[in-house]
Amino acid sequence: MALNVEYCVMEVDCQPEESIVPSFDDDCVVLGDVKDMRLEAEAVVNDVLFAVTQMYVSQNLASALDVAYINVETREGNRYCLELTEAGLRVVGYAFDQVNEDLSNQYHETVYSLLDTLSPGYREAFGNALLQRLESLKQNGR
């Protein structure tokens, strides 16, 4: 089940007395289907699994089109529950499958940014993988 969303370009330079309600007309652009966050979460896991101890999409917390939860254990042995939404990723718990509504951690646009703040081991593994890739490209380029 996919939802189709339309977005309009609207000007925000308006006087306080002007209406800020967007009008949906011919200037609207169809940007495509709304992302299924569970599929996005699987892609996030596959992208950085090499640099953490374990990481998987939670089977115990309910996912939907607009939210998914990812459990991650860093190389330092710290466990987190991450929430993935259109706003980005953020820590919502300090154990697997734990959502603490009282936490108000900031959203990160990418999993790389989030893990970079949580795990020096991730940063090192990511840097080493990048160096190996560059060396491989350099050798294949000769």
Side-chain angles (χ1 to χ4, degrees), residues 65-83:
L65 279 176
D66 60 345
V67 65
Y69 296 94
I70 301 169
N71 293 316
V72 61
E73 182 178 342
T74 64
R75 290 186 171 213
E76 295 80 20
N78 299 320
R79 290 183 167 193
Y80 302 95
C81 183
L82 309 178
E83 175 189 74

Side-chain angles (χ1 to χ4, degrees), residues 36-42 57-58 61-70 81-85 88-89 92:
D36 180 341
M37 283 300 137
R38 186 156 185 89
L39 294 175
E40 288 290 314
E42 291 290 350
V57 178
S58 174
L61 298 173
S63 294
L65 279 176
D66 60 345
V67 65
Y69 296 94
I70 301 169
C81 183
L82 309 178
E83 175 189 74
L84 173 65
T85 66
L89 289 128
V92 292

